[in-house]
Amino acid sequence: MGTPVRWGRPYTVAFLSSTEQQLPRPLGARHVRSWSRAEQWLWLLASRTSPDDYPPDPDHADQLLGGTVVLSGDWRGLVTRDGAAFVGLRRDRGDRDPFLGYAQLYAHTTYLDAILLGMIQRSHIEAMVDEAARAFDADDMPRHLPKLEEQAARFRSIYWLRDASAHGSANDILAAYQSQHRLPERFDAVLAEIADLNRIVQTQEGQRVAAALGLLTVVGLPFGTAFGVLQIIGTNSLFYLMMGLLAASVTTVLLLLTRLGRLLIRELRRLE
């Protein structure tokens, strides 16, 4: 499943800590009364937009921080649709810091891996959405559908993970990314659409079989009757055999010209 990752904008991962006693206030950031300085930095870095382009709405500010991940008492993370940010909550004492000295390493390794896994999941789900949307345009839906079902099964078996690692915070970051892009809901919608397509194909196959059986009955009944009559009268005459075949052929043509015969033929053509 070598589906290419398609993004309109690059996804960024940022890490910020300060050697000052407290974080400085972001320059030019819109003041949101309910946000701390750390939350202002998280939103500014993770949203990848300037306050002038996308000023936070104070009445719905908490919803913008819905992707917040509590990593520990020392730092926080925020995952949005366009980026992720990690911000230290206390003074960073540099490489000698017992925790924040390794925080950037975690952000650029374990936590970045969780985000990359979410991006792979998003790419495959979008590819399945596109494939499902093209199902009705496929030349042969019964052949197109098994490929889509196999693609969904392989994705669920290989890529659809809810745990990125044994590290609990990495799993929270993956869950936040999935939530921001509504991946669980979109994958469930794809599965539901595949099930609907499967029911459509089964219905069409049933209608095709019923129409074929009806047409076979219309064609076979006159010939079966003709051969039955010849067997009853016990004749082996070539003349009577040819007459029986001719009578059966004429009867078949007349039956196909009836409303029922025309309906069966139209149904077979429609389902091709």
Side-chain angles (χ1 to χ4, degrees):
M1 296 177 65
T3 305
V5 179
R6 299 165 296 176
W7 309 116
R9 301 174 62 191
Y11 197 91
T12 61
V13 177
F15 174 82
L16 173 70
S17 63
S18 175
T19 57
E20 302 295 331
Q21 193 63 35
Q22 64 176 347
L23 287 170
R25 189 177 300 278
L27 296 177
R30 296 295 181 91
H31 177 68
V32 179
R33 181 172 300 179
S34 61
W35 284 3
S36 64
R37 292 188 180 184
E39 289 171 333
Q40 291 181 34
W41 274 111
L42 284 170
W43 171 250
L44 186 65
L45 296 174
S47 64
R48 293 178 53 246
T49 183
S50 68
D52 294 331
D53 292 338
Y54 186 15
D57 182 3
D59 295 333
H60 303 86
D62 293 340
Q63 298 178 12
L64 299 178
L65 301 179
T68 299
V69 179
V70 179
L71 300 171
S72 73
D74 291 330
W75 61 328
R76 292 286 187 274
L78 176 63
V79 180
T80 67
R81 291 181 58 87
D82 297 314
F86 302 94
V87 173
L89 302 181
R90 61 169 176 80
R91 180 181 179 183
D92 187 350
R93 294 192 291 269
D95 295 338
R96 294 176 298 174
D97 194 293
F99 184 79
L100 287 180
Y102 298 94
Q104 185 175 2
L105 177 63
Y106 285 132
H108 291 166
T109 55
T110 304
Y111 301 159
L112 177 60
D113 289 343
I115 293 173
L116 290 175
L117 176 57
M119 295 172 71
I120 292 172
Q121 292 174 345
R122 177 189 171 190
S123 175
H124 284 287
I125 289 177
E126 288 182 346
M128 285 187 289
V129 170
D130 293 341
E131 287 294 326
R134 288 194 295 265
F136 286 100
D137 297 330
D139 295 334
D140 191 350
M141 187 187 296
R143 291 186 180 181
H144 181 80
L145 182 58
K147 295 179 181 179
L148 186 58
E149 290 176 328
E150 180 182 1
Q151 187 176 359
R154 287 175 61 85
F155 169 78
R156 182 162 48 189
S157 174
I158 300 174
Y159 297 106
W160 190 231
L161 305 176
R162 294 303 181 90
D163 294 333
S165 69
H167 198 297
S169 297
N171 300 331
D172 294 338
I173 290 171
L174 175 60
Y177 183 92
Q178 292 174 341
S179 176
Q180 286 293 313
H181 294 275
R182 301 180 62 252
L183 297 187
E185 295 86 350
R186 295 174 68 184
F187 185 47
D188 289 342
V190 170
L191 295 179
E193 189 167 358
I194 292 175
D196 291 340
L197 292 172
N198 202 357
R199 284 192 292 269
I200 292 174
V201 169
Q202 291 179 355
T203 300
Q204 290 179 346
E205 289 294 329
Q207 292 174 343
R208 186 180 289 111
V209 170
L213 289 176
L215 190 60
L216 182 62
T217 300
V218 170
V219 174
L221 181 61
F223 286 94
T225 303
F227 287 122
V229 171
L230 292 176
Q231 187 176 10
I232 291 174
I233 64 177
T235 179
N236 294 325
S237 172
L238 180 60
F239 173 76
Y240 286 110
L241 178 60
M242 295 302 295
M243 291 297 295
L245 290 175
L246 179 61
S249 299
V250 172
T251 304
T252 299
V253 172
L254 293 176
L255 288 175
L256 292 177
L257 293 176
T258 62
R259 183 175 181 275
L260 176 60
R262 296 195 303 271
L263 179 63
L264 292 174
I265 293 174
R266 284 199 303 269
E267 186 68 15
L268 281 177
R269 289 179 176 176
R270 184 181 67 84
L271 295 173
E272 289 182 354

